[in-house]
Amino acid sequence: MKANIKYFLALGVIIWALIAWIYRDWQQKKTQDDITYLEKLYKTKEFRTIVKSTDELISRDKISLSNNFGLHYIRGAAYYKLGEFSKSLSDINIAIDINGKDDYFLYYMRAKLNDELKSKDTACICSNVTQAINVKGGIISYKNLKFNYMDTSNLFDVNYIDMLKLRVKYCADLMPDYVKLDKELLEKNE
């Protein structure tokens, strides 16, 4: 009798784990479909609709941080296009906290938004724009400064020229050698 109970308990745990795994997989697929839909809205410049939709999706999908990364990123981009820089910065900070280690454009946008908001923290701006440049490949990648990284993962249309200009503006005291090189590269590409 005890063997049957243990067997049914083990079977119950396995079934429950399988159901949870299927549900999680379904939820991630659904959120990915939602993100694809939001990217289409972004291309048609329906930024208010994006904000409203992402508010609902983020409250629905509190379990999966990886899904929320994409939602905060898209909503941050929409807020940026609407000129709501504080809200955009808040979402970009959340996206970086969730998944931003290799996303150069998020660091650049954090620096750009701080610039737009007239932040007095020049070290923060300098650090973030430099992180953006370094993550993307540093000096090696300067060869094609006019190339824009515009795809579904870069809704902000980031390019190296803008990154360099921002670093020249804020990093002269903190990183004079880099700024000197940046100025030379900008002059060559005018």
Side-chain angles (χ1 to χ4, degrees), residues 81-108:
K81 292 295 187 177
L82 292 168
E84 297 181 32
F85 301 129
S86 292
K87 291 178 180 179
S88 179
L89 181 60
S90 176
D91 275 328
I92 294 305
N93 285 335
I94 292 169
I96 288 171
D97 289 344
I98 294 171
N99 193 34
K101 293 183 179 104
D102 296 325
D103 297 321
Y104 69 94
F105 47 86
L106 291 176
Y107 288 103
Y108 171 71

Side-chain angles (χ1 to χ4, degrees), residues 6-23:
K6 287 181 181 179
Y7 171 76
F8 284 116
L9 283 175
L11 185 61
V13 168
I14 291 170
I15 291 171
W16 183 85
L18 183 61
I19 290 169
W21 179 75
I22 291 169
Y23 175 77

Side-chain angles (χ1 to χ4, degrees), residues 102-109 111 125-138 158 160 163 167:
D102 296 325
D103 297 321
Y104 69 94
F105 47 86
L106 291 176
Y107 288 103
Y108 171 71
M109 283 315 302
I125 295 172
C126 181
S127 169
N128 279 287
V129 74
T130 299
Q131 176 69 11
I133 292 168
N134 291 343
V135 166
K136 193 57 188 159
V158 174
Y160 275 120
M163 286 186 197
R167 186 155 71 178

Side-chain angles (χ1 to χ4, degrees), residues 37-103:
Y37 167 73
L38 292 169
E39 288 172 345
K40 288 179 184 174
L41 287 176
Y42 191 90
K43 289 177 183 173
T44 60
K45 301 180 188 234
E46 296 180 51
F47 305 120
R48 289 273 172 224
T49 304
I50 292 170
V51 169
K52 184 178 181 214
S53 296
T54 52
D55 288 345
E56 294 168 8
L57 293 169
I58 288 169
S59 67
R60 179 195 80 195
D61 193 21
K62 291 188 186 279
I63 297 170
S64 174
L65 286 177
S66 62
N67 291 339
N68 280 343
F69 162 76
L71 297 174
H72 282 285
Y73 171 63
I74 291 171
R75 187 172 67 182
Y79 277 136
Y80 178 78
K81 292 295 187 177
L82 292 168
E84 297 181 32
F85 301 129
S86 292
K87 291 178 180 179
S88 179
L89 181 60
S90 176
D91 275 328
I92 294 305
N93 285 335
I94 292 169
I96 288 171
D97 289 344
I98 294 171
N99 193 34
K101 293 183 179 104
D102 296 325
D103 297 321

Side-chain angles (χ1 to χ4, degrees), residues 174-186:
L174 298 169
M175 307 175 81
D177 293 337
Y178 282 105
V179 170
K180 181 180 176 188
L181 177 61
D182 293 346
K183 286 179 180 178
E184 291 172 8
L185 290 167
L186 287 169

